[in-house]
Amino acid sequence: MRSFLRETDFSFDEAREVFAIADRYKKVRGRLNVIQDQSWGLIFFKKSTRTRLSFQTGVFELGGNPLVLEADDLQIARGETIEDTAKVMGRYLHGLVIRAYGHEVVEEFKKFSGLPVINALTDALHPCQSYTDIFTMMEYFGKGTPTLEAIKGKKFVFYGDTACNMAYSLALAGGMFGMEVVLSGPEQFRPTAELDKFFKEGGVAPTWTFEPDPKKAAKNADVLYTDVWVSMGKEAESAERVKIMTPYQVNGELFKNAHDGAIFMHCLPAHAGMEVSAEVLRSSKSVIFDEAENRLHTQKAIITGLVKF
Ligand code: CP
Ligand code: NVA
């Protein structure tokens, strides 16, 4: 039984196949029989727009029955353990997609449900988004023909909270697929040893670097990426985070240091005027809605990989 909790849960060659499947799914939408007559539970402990809709649509298009479950509506909210919940779900369902706080929650669901489990974001990682972003860059730099060769050696810079799930996932995915990854943010939000542990456990060399100077980081960059400064669950630290991360806003000034053809990426939701200027967010360099669309195709391909490989 395969699960996808981290980027490294697919081998390099399997990931290449996942991206090829995503490309095919993007070209032809429609109902397939990949998980025909299967019911998949989509459990949300945190808010979501893109992940919820793209998985619900994706499971349907693969022939399955998506059951969207708010964790607050389950007995978990009244103290039932993850172990018992997972064991019960294992008796009804065929797969799980889970958005949680602690990463251990998705690991526990995997251990006790006996089902394929997909990580739909934890405090530590958001692998569905990073695979989607890799696919989006493959398309962009491959000029419409997505290949891993097209992104090899490209300089990718992530700005802001470099200790958040997106920074970790993009460092892992970028490392796995041969990109030059630079994380740029305040020292207080530098990645911890947890990131290196993910590299070690995944058998990938940690090639990312940290650069506290945002302009230096942008030099000759091909991609400038940012995410919210206040991730879900960190709301109590909002004022401090906004103050300290303001120098890391991705704006026109910062773009002057990057390559001419550099693009802007953001997993969304975005806050114009905070982590990104309104001008950059809405510019022709911005591929944010391609990223959002590609969640659907990439996640359908991830599910296909889990049931077929
Ligand atoms: N990017 C992303 O995961 O968006 P949602 O939080 O809306 O699902
Ligand atoms: N870092 C953000 C990502 C949202 C998709 C968060 O965890 O809130």
Side-chain angles (χ1 to χ4, degrees), residues 160-161 185-189 212 214 228-230 234-249 273-275:
D161 177 4
E187 290 282 355
Q188 293 91 318
F189 291 92
V228 292
W229 290 336
V230 184
K234 305 288 182 194
E235 291 78 6
E237 301 168 16
S238 290
E240 187 211 343
R241 283 170 170 261
V242 170
K243 199 166 133 204
I244 201 170
M245 292 191 201
T246 294
Y248 296 91
Q249 185 192 70
M274 301 279 276
E275 72 270 10

Side-chain angles (χ1 to χ4, degrees), residues 47-52 99 121 126 129 232 267-269 295:
K47 304 285 181 215
S48 169
T49 297
R50 279 144 288 270
T51 307
R52 182 191 308 267
R99 169 165 287 195
L121 180 147
H126 194 2
Q129 182 73 52
M232 290 178 276
C267 55
L268 304 180
R295 291 291 302 277

Side-chain angles (χ1 to χ4, degrees), residues 1-3 39-41 86 88-96 109-118:
M1 189 64 62
R2 300 286 300 266
S3 282
S39 289
W40 281 57
V88 169
M89 288 183 171
R91 301 289 179 111
Y92 303 136
L93 305 175
H94 302 89
L96 285 170
F109 268 105
K110 174 184 162 183
K111 182 171 168 194
F112 294 115
S113 67
L115 301 174
V117 177
I118 296 178

Side-chain angles (χ1 to χ4, degrees), residues 36-88:
Q36 194 175 17
D37 301 329
Q38 293 193 9
S39 289
W40 281 57
L42 320 181
I43 309 175
F44 289 88
F45 288 84
K46 288 175 169 174
K47 304 285 181 215
S48 169
T49 297
R50 279 144 288 270
T51 307
R52 182 191 308 267
L53 284 170
S54 54
F55 267 113
Q56 197 169 0
T57 308
V59 167
F60 172 79
E61 290 188 2
L62 292 175
N65 171 34
L67 301 167
V68 180
L69 306 162
E70 303 303 326
D72 254 0
D73 294 336
L74 302 175
Q75 293 287 11
I76 286 177
R78 298 178 65 250
E80 188 167 24
T81 61
I82 302 283
E83 178 176 343
D84 286 1
T85 306
K87 284 179 174 167
V88 169

Side-chain angles (χ1 to χ4, degrees), residues 133-306:
D133 293 335
I134 292 288
F135 178 70
T136 306
M137 290 185 277
M138 288 165 63
E139 272 186 325
Y140 185 83
F141 293 112
K143 301 188 175 23
T145 305
T147 65
L148 281 169
E149 287 66 35
I151 62 166
K152 202 161 190 283
K154 295 282 182 206
K155 183 173 176 183
F156 177 96
V157 190
F158 179 95
Y159 285 101
D161 177 4
T162 69
C164 84
N165 43 20
M166 279 318 308
Y168 282 17
S169 267
L170 290 161
L172 257 178
M176 191 171 163
F177 301 116
M179 301 188 80
E180 178 190 349
V181 177
V182 179
L183 305 178
S184 183
E187 290 282 355
Q188 293 91 318
F189 291 92
R190 221 185 156 104
T192 67
E194 191 189 15
L195 177 57
D196 287 329
K197 195 165 152 271
F198 283 126
F199 273 97
K200 200 164 173 219
E201 290 173 355
V204 177
T207 48
W208 60 273
T209 56
F210 180 79
E211 173 51 70
D213 181 330
K215 282 209 167 90
K216 269 194 202 160
K219 198 166 180 329
N220 295 326
D222 298 291
V223 181
L224 301 189
Y225 194 114
T226 193
D227 181 13
V228 292
W229 290 336
V230 184
S231 284
M232 290 178 276
K234 305 288 182 194
E235 291 78 6
E237 301 168 16
S238 290
E240 187 211 343
R241 283 170 170 261
V242 170
K243 199 166 133 204
I244 201 170
M245 292 191 201
T246 294
Y248 296 91
Q249 185 192 70
V250 178
N251 52 38
E253 242 344 87
L254 196 60
F255 255 96
K256 285 185 187 156
N257 302 277
H259 270 316
D260 279 348
I263 55 170
F264 171 72
M265 298 182 76
H266 193 312
C267 55
L268 304 180
H271 300 87
M274 301 279 276
E275 72 270 10
V276 56
S277 68
E279 165 213 10
V280 164
L281 189 67
R282 301 287 170 217
S283 71
S284 57
K285 296 174 185 303
S286 173
V287 299
I288 54 173
F289 296 114
D290 293 327
E291 292 174 81
E293 177 189 335
N294 286 338
R295 291 291 302 277
L296 172 66
H297 314 303
T298 310
Q299 289 161 185
K300 282 169 67 184
I302 289 168
I303 293 175
T304 305
L306 290 184

